[in-house]
Amino acid sequence: MPTPGNSYRQFTGVVVSAGKMMKTVRVRIPGQRWDKHIRKDFPAPYHVLVSDPTESVREGDVVTLRNGWRTSKQVHHIVTSIVAPFGPEISKRPRIPTEDERQQQLLHARLEKDLRKAALGRKASIQHIGQIARDEEWVQELPERLAAAWQQAKEAGIVKTGKEQDEMPPINVRARQNVAAAAKYTEKGLENEEQVEQIHEAGESVAEDVARGGKAI
């Protein structure tokens, strides 16, 4: 999840692929590469995956984007505006949120996450939520918000109560094979230990016999 208020850079590029990934487009950004042999810069564009949360961008659009907005392992950019549309007019497309709106949505999502964690008993989230409630003066609403967050977590399957909490998850075939192999190796280890003990006992008995024979001689 991106960090609210972080610094970023803006780029301009052309959308080369849209509609093939959910809320994500591929953008070509112009660049240059220095050839040390010819001693000259040559065009060297590169491609990045860009988040398009409202799915407003179409293939062929010239867009501006910013970095520092990580939504997945491969997506670290987000569309900020459409410079030159290709196809439908901008007015006929979903509106792209502004930077302030994105920051507010991000803060709201983090607050909801902290509420869920606090409702589930996480101490750090409880302290964080308490501090936010005191700063924003909604301490009286805190119990209701925690109850609502707990209910949402329960509906989402995060909270399990009763028999569901006591039941063990099913073991797949590979896990059974691993358990059986581990038991087999354990039995072999015990057998080897018994054999070693028997050898030691036999050696001790032989040593005692030799010692007795030496004394008798």
Side-chain angles (χ1 to χ4, degrees):
M1 184 177 287
T3 304
N6 61 340
S7 58
Y8 60 89
R9 290 178 56 196
Q10 285 194 345
F11 305 88
T12 302
V14 180
V15 180
V16 296
S17 177
K20 298 179 181 178
M21 294 174 283
M22 184 179 295
K23 297 182 179 181
T24 305
V25 296
R26 193 165 184 256
V27 179
R28 182 178 69 243
I29 300 176
Q32 289 185 337
R33 177 180 57 85
W34 173 257
D35 192 317
K36 62 180 181 180
H37 180 68
I38 304 177
R39 302 184 62 82
K40 183 179 178 181
D41 286 322
F42 287 91
Y46 59 97
H47 297 81
V48 294
L49 295 177
V50 184
S51 175
D52 181 21
T54 56
E55 296 186 345
S56 306
V57 176
R58 303 292 183 268
E59 187 173 343
D61 291 347
V62 179
V63 298
T64 58
L65 53 140
R66 57 155 289 186
N67 63 354
W69 195 274
R70 177 171 178 169
T71 55
S72 70
K73 185 177 180 180
Q74 304 293 337
V75 183
H76 298 175
H77 299 72
I78 189 170
V79 176
T80 57
S81 64
I82 300 175
V83 179
F86 185 83
E89 299 177 359
I90 298 178
S91 59
K92 297 181 180 179
R93 304 183 188 184
R95 190 177 67 86
I96 297 176
T98 62
E99 182 67 23
D100 293 337
E101 291 174 348
R102 283 195 299 271
Q103 296 291 344
Q104 290 297 326
Q105 292 174 1
L106 181 60
L107 292 173
H108 179 72
R110 290 205 166 190
L111 178 62
E112 293 295 329
K113 183 177 180 180
D114 280 336
L115 281 171
R116 288 195 301 271
K117 294 291 186 180
L120 295 175
R122 187 169 182 263
K123 294 182 179 179
S125 298
I126 293 173
Q127 295 176 357
H128 189 208
I129 287 297
Q131 185 64 35
I132 293 175
R134 286 190 293 270
D135 294 341
E136 298 182 1
E137 298 180 354
W138 49 271
V139 178
Q140 296 179 354
E141 302 176 4
L142 185 57
E144 297 179 1
R145 290 198 177 190
L146 289 174
W150 189 87
Q151 186 64 28
Q152 291 177 359
K154 183 179 178 181
E155 292 175 357
I158 301 174
V159 179
K160 294 184 179 180
T161 58
K163 295 181 179 179
E164 295 180 356
Q165 192 172 5
D166 298 330
E167 291 179 355
M168 293 293 292
I171 301 176
N172 56 18
V173 178
R174 186 63 179 271
R176 290 195 185 96
Q177 293 176 355
N178 293 337
V179 171
K184 186 176 180 181
Y185 287 126
T186 303
E187 291 177 359
K188 286 185 178 180
L190 294 175
E191 291 177 359
N192 293 335
E193 289 181 359
E194 291 178 357
Q195 292 177 359
V196 171
E197 290 179 358
Q198 292 176 0
I199 292 171
H200 281 301
E201 291 177 357
E204 290 177 357
S205 62
V206 171
E208 290 177 357
D209 293 339
V210 171
R212 289 174 183 174
K215 290 180 180 179
I217 293 172

